[in-house]
Amino acid sequence: MADISIVQAHNMPPEQARAAAQEVADKMAADFGMECRWDGPVLRFERSGVDGTLVVNDRDAQLDITLGLMMKAFAPMVQEKLARKMQKVFGA
């Protein structure tokens, strides 16, 4: 079960939505030191104590993150920061 789950609506064509997802991934990599990679239509990311996925669908993007025990204390801050970034790049 994800500790952080964010769904952001969008009305972008698939290639633009994937570029937006990559922008979110780049932000996570820079801010949180994560490794990100595409696995088909799913963007997977991880680092010690954090792993998750960003799935871009036709009408929304679903971000799910599972946090390790030490990272759970930071969940509200991480969720707020990522929710703002997703709204900015996918802005419906």
Side-chain angles (χ1 to χ4, degrees), residues 11 16 20 53 72 77 83 86 92:
N11 39 359
Q16 186 180 0
T53 59
K72 288 189 188 285
M77 178 205 59
M86 287 196 50

Side-chain angles (χ1 to χ4, degrees), residues 31-79:
D31 288 355
F32 306 113
M34 294 188 174
E35 296 290 326
C36 302
R37 71 184 183 289
W38 285 98
D39 185 10
V42 178
L43 181 61
R44 298 188 185 282
F45 52 89
E46 61 185 306
R47 66 161 266 187
S48 180
V50 179
D51 68 284
T53 59
L54 177 56
V55 180
V56 180
N57 300 304
D58 291 340
R59 300 201 182 271
D60 63 30
Q62 170 86 34
L63 177 66
D64 291 308
I65 301 173
T66 302
L67 301 172
L69 187 60
M70 299 297 284
M71 294 296 294
K72 288 189 188 285
F74 299 103
M77 178 205 59
V78 172
Q79 181 163 350

Side-chain angles (χ1 to χ4, degrees), residues 1-3 7 9-10 22 29 32 39 42 48 72 85 88-89:
M1 177 181 221
D3 296 304
V7 178
H10 72 79
Q22 186 63 55
F32 306 113
D39 185 10
V42 178
S48 180
K72 288 189 188 285
K85 183 63 177 178
K88 180 180 176 184
V89 299

Side-chain angles (χ1 to χ4, degrees), residues 12-24:
M12 300 175 170
E15 62 280 350
Q16 186 180 0
R18 185 176 169 118
Q22 186 63 55
E23 188 175 332
V24 172

